[in-house]
């Protein structure tokens, strides 16, 4: 790995969020001067590293972001701030686009003006849509939801603006990351957090459809190191890299492991067997990626088994306890296709 003094001021957006806060910890431990930004819409002050310089700021506030960037002049940015509610984005397309795409441009434009050297953009597997998995980075961008559109748009804007304005970038596409600090009170996303939070409430959770949707899950520690180190490798400029394990499992299998880790007594596992509901609209059935490129370029080696990672997450979640899910007062579009769990606030 190259030296960590390549950059003077590092900014992490989404620094109070799940992945952003772990990334800040990693960079602080590496001895870097780290600035963090978050509007706390999905993150928590309890996640913020006290050794970082943290500011509460909403990326939709263009003038505020411009002033902030003019002051700190980051030469490296890890962009993680996002409205990451993929399944909700059909019902809140404006919220998703303004937070994700417009918010990103509000950040990127003053950063370029102030001498940005490298952008590490956190994209998502959602850009692949319904193509045949395992997804490889050379596949076309074919998102199936508004969230995926915003991620694809950010990728394209980065590529184009980097070519014209001469900064380096690397795009990371993680998938289904889980672990301690994940927001488990958001009823619209984070399947693992939702399952565990419901069990902490002493109730059964819900599975959409037959539970045979196939996914692969990444433990947070396995994702953060390659993401962080991507900034320090010269040969990664312009690369797009999937980060996550290749082993896929169904949501039903995931549920079985969560129950087994949560309840030592098999009788309890039976009592809390999940309740099945109709499929969600536009949900991609099977989504998992190839990680050959991450292994080659980033020395990516996932180490944590699902059982072990879920055990760690459950131990953390028990410390926090049950948290009441936070629903939006109103979605931008209502529809009979809206999941019953949201309409009737069942999560
Ligand atoms: N967790 C996953 O499984 C996963 C998978 C693929 C991609 N990603 C991407 O990784 C990034 C981090 O995801 P996460 O799981 O840590 O989610 P998270 O919600 O915990 O973190 C995102 C943070 O962004 C903040 N934020 C949202 N809108 C903002 C705005 N307008 N201004 C400033 N801050 C704002 C939120 O408060 C939150 O703390 C996101 O870009 C997400 O799309 C996550």
């Amino acid at each position: 790995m190259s030296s960590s003094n390549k950059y003077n001021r590092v900014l992490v957006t989404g620094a109070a969020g799940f992945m952003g806060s772990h990334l800040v910890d990693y960079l602080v431990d590496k001895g870097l001067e780290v600035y963090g930004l978050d509007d706390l819409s999905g993150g928590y002050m309890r996640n913020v590293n006290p050794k970082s310089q943290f500011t509460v700021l909403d990326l939709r506030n263009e003038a505020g972001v411009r002033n902030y960037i003019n002051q700190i002049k980051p030469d490296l940015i890890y962009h993680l701030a996002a409205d990451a509610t993929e399944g909700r984005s059909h019902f809140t397309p404006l919220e998703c686009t303004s937070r994700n795409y417009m918010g990103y441009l509000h950040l990127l434009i003053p950063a370029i003006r102030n001498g940005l050297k490298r952008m590490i953009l956190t994209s998502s597997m959602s850009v692949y849509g319904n193509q045949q998995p395992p997804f490889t980075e050379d596949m076309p961008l074919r998102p199936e939801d508004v969230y995926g559109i915003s991620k694809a748009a950010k990728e394209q804007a980065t590529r184009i603006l980097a070519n014209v304005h001469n900064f380096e970038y690397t795009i990371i596409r993680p998938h289904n990351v889980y672990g301690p600090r994940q927001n488990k009170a958001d009823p619209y996303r984070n399947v693992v957090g939702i399952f565990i939070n419901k069990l902490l409430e002493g109730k059964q959770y819900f599975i959409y459809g037959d539970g045979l949707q196939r996914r692969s899950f990444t433990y947070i520690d396995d994702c953060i190191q390659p993401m962080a180190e991507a900034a320090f490798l010269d040969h990664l400029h312009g690369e797009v890299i999937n980060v996550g394990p290749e082993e896929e499992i169904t949501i039903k299998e995931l549920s079985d492991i969560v129950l087994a880790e949560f309840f030592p007594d098999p009788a309890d596992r039976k009592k809390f067997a999940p309740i099945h509901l109709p499929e969600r609209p536009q949900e991609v059935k099977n989504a998992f990626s190839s990680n050959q490129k991450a292994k080659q370029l980033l020395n990516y080696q996932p180490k944590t088994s699902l059982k072990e990672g879920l055990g760690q997450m459950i131990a953390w979640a028990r410390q926090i306890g049950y948290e009441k899910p936070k629903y939006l007062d109103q979605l931008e579009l209502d529809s009979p296709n809206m999941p019953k769990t949201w309409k009737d606030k069942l999560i």
Side-chain angles (χ1 to χ4, degrees):
M1 302 275 161
S2 335
S3 71
S4 55
N5 57 12
K6 200 169 160 176
Y7 306 102
N8 294 316
R9 287 167 308 278
V10 181
L11 171 63
V12 176
T13 71
F18 165 47
M19 292 170 62
S21 66
H22 284 278
L23 182 66
V24 171
D25 291 354
Y26 184 95
L27 297 168
V28 165
D29 286 349
K30 210 173 153 70
L32 289 155
E33 181 174 355
V34 185
Y35 292 80
L37 169 165
D38 200 296
D39 75 340
L40 300 178
S41 56
Y44 295 87
M45 277 310 291
R46 68 182 184 225
N47 294 341
V48 171
N49 185 313
K51 291 188 189 146
S52 66
Q53 317 235 22
F54 180 72
T55 302
V56 178
L57 183 59
D58 187 335
L59 288 174
R60 292 173 300 177
N61 171 358
E62 187 194 352
V65 176
R66 195 186 326 121
N67 289 338
Y68 174 76
I69 295 293
N70 285 346
Q71 274 168 32
I72 68 164
K73 304 184 188 311
D75 44 14
L76 167 63
I77 299 180
Y78 293 88
H79 181 57
L80 290 94
D83 173 0
T85 54
E86 180 171 4
R88 195 195 73 200
S89 64
H90 328 296
F91 305 101
T92 51
L94 286 173
E95 169 96 1
C96 175
T97 309
S98 62
R99 282 185 181 276
N100 294 356
Y101 187 57
M102 290 312 294
Y104 180 54
L105 292 185
H106 292 166
L107 171 77
L108 184 56
I109 291 165
I112 294 171
R113 283 207 198 106
N114 281 283
L116 177 70
K117 286 187 190 153
R118 188 176 286 201
M119 171 66 74
I120 306 293
L121 175 67
T122 313
S123 184
S124 153
M125 200 166 56
S126 60
V127 299
Y128 296 114
N130 246 328
Q131 298 177 76
Q132 179 66 43
F135 305 134
T136 51
E137 292 86 347
D138 54 2
M139 284 178 165
L141 302 174
R142 289 214 188 115
E144 284 289 322
D145 50 58
V146 177
Y147 169 80
I149 293 174
S150 75
K151 290 287 181 185
K154 285 198 275 194
E155 289 194 8
Q156 298 286 46
T158 308
R159 186 176 56 79
I160 292 164
L161 294 177
N163 286 343
V164 177
H165 299 285
N166 220 7
F167 62 93
E168 296 183 344
Y169 72 93
T170 305
I171 292 169
I172 304 289
R173 293 178 181 156
H175 44 263
N176 291 313
V177 189
Y178 70 97
R181 298 190 198 160
Q182 181 166 59
N183 187 333
K184 59 186 182 58
D186 187 331
Y188 304 108
R189 61 170 175 157
N190 298 335
V191 58
V192 180
I194 287 177
F195 283 3
I196 294 173
N197 201 44
K198 202 68 188 163
L199 296 179
L200 287 170
E201 194 191 4
K203 295 191 174 156
Q204 292 157 279
Y205 51 77
F206 300 89
I207 287 183
Y208 301 111
D210 54 14
L212 298 181
Q213 306 93 315
R214 289 186 300 152
R215 300 282 184 272
S216 68
F217 290 87
T218 315
Y219 187 64
I220 183 74
D221 292 354
D222 288 337
C223 173
I224 290 303
Q225 187 194 9
M227 246 183 96
E229 293 297 340
F232 303 95
L233 296 168
D234 291 333
H235 62 279
L236 289 194
H237 166 51
E239 296 289 354
V240 180
I241 310 173
N242 297 328
V243 171
E246 288 188 350
E247 297 72 35
E248 0 120 28
I249 63 162
T250 65
I251 295 297
K252 200 177 159 320
E253 287 164 339
L254 170 77
S255 161
D256 290 343
I257 307 178
V258 169
L259 288 172
E261 287 300 308
F262 200 92
F263 295 114
D265 182 351
D268 284 331
R269 297 174 203 165
K270 261 201 173 144
K271 221 164 50 196
F272 284 86
I275 300 164
H276 285 260
L277 291 174
E279 283 176 18
R280 285 189 298 182
Q282 289 284 118
E283 182 173 352
V284 171
K285 184 83 183 167
N286 299 317
F288 47 94
S289 301
S290 155
N291 60 22
Q292 294 311 305
K293 199 170 171 186
K295 282 185 170 148
Q296 274 167 20
L297 297 183
L298 277 173
N299 196 22
Y300 170 68
Q301 288 161 338
K303 295 188 187 91
T304 319
S305 70
L306 197 51
K307 184 173 159 11
E308 197 186 330
L310 287 173
Q312 305 259 21
M313 182 166 174
I314 289 170
W316 163 82
R318 284 193 199 277
Q319 282 172 14
I320 301 283
Y322 169 71
E323 294 172 295
K324 199 170 163 30
K326 291 184 204 141
Y327 290 86
L328 290 185
D329 293 338
Q330 201 166 8
L331 301 184
E332 290 159 19
L333 288 168
D334 201 352
S335 151
N337 286 330
M338 188 185 296
K340 184 178 156 59
T341 44
W342 302 351
K343 212 173 266 177
D344 300 345
K345 301 196 168 135
L346 299 177
I347 293 172

